[in-house]
Amino acid sequence: MGDFAVSSAPADVVRRQYLASAAGDLDALRATLAPDVEWTEMAGFPLAGTYRTPEGVTSNVMEKLGQDWDGWTAHDDTYVVDGENVVVLARYSAVNKATGKTIGVRVAHHFVVRGGLIVRFEQFVDTALVRDAMTD
């Protein structure tokens, strides 16, 4: 067994990303991302698009989620690993700052991990549930 903190096993790298995100530790989160990462938020999601570079991901996704939501957390429930591919069945929970509405929505995340770093991420989520929480 290797040390989880430095393990390059794809599931360990992805798990460190979730833990860093939940703790609000953007430096630790960026440390899990490849310099040329491609991070895609699903069409219809408020932050839809593809972001590149660790700084681009945290400034355009995590920091913006923190501006609009209290307690935004991705709870990583189930991992399915096939080589460098890691699919995580998860759920988002948060309270929208503008409306006070809560969300609890199931999501699937597909990560590709190479050389101990996340090189690609794609989000799958019911965007209507997220948008409903953002409107009065």
Side-chain angles (χ1 to χ4, degrees):
M1 294 289 282
D3 183 355
F4 172 77
V6 295
S7 169
S8 64
D12 290 345
V13 174
V14 169
R15 178 73 177 134
R16 284 197 306 272
Q17 179 273 149
Y18 281 107
L19 291 171
S21 179
D25 186 344
L26 298 185
D27 287 335
L29 192 152
R30 284 189 287 270
T32 67
L33 304 177
D36 59 347
V37 65
E38 289 186 9
W39 186 282
T40 302
E41 299 285 319
M42 189 169 173
F45 190 70
L47 304 173
T50 298
Y51 305 97
R52 290 174 176 81
T53 78
E55 182 59 43
V57 171
T58 55
S59 65
N60 289 296
V61 180
M62 289 73 184
E63 290 177 17
K64 290 201 167 139
L65 288 171
Q67 291 169 4
D68 295 334
W69 301 87
D70 281 322
W72 182 277
T73 305
H75 306 272
D76 51 328
D77 297 327
T78 303
Y79 283 63
V80 180
V81 181
D82 181 15
E84 65 185 15
N85 291 284
V86 180
V87 174
V88 180
L89 304 178
R91 57 198 157 79
Y92 292 150
S93 65
V95 178
N96 185 266
K97 290 180 180 180
T99 66
K101 293 181 182 178
T102 61
I103 60 164
V105 61
R106 295 292 291 164
V107 299
H109 292 156
H110 174 218
F111 296 86
V112 177
V113 180
R114 275 190 208 120
L117 295 171
I118 296 165
V119 296
R120 195 163 41 246
F121 165 88
E122 187 174 6
Q123 171 202 57
F124 301 89
V125 61
D126 185 339
T127 57
L129 291 177
V130 177
R131 290 207 175 265
D132 285 350
M134 298 176 73
T135 56
D136 286 323

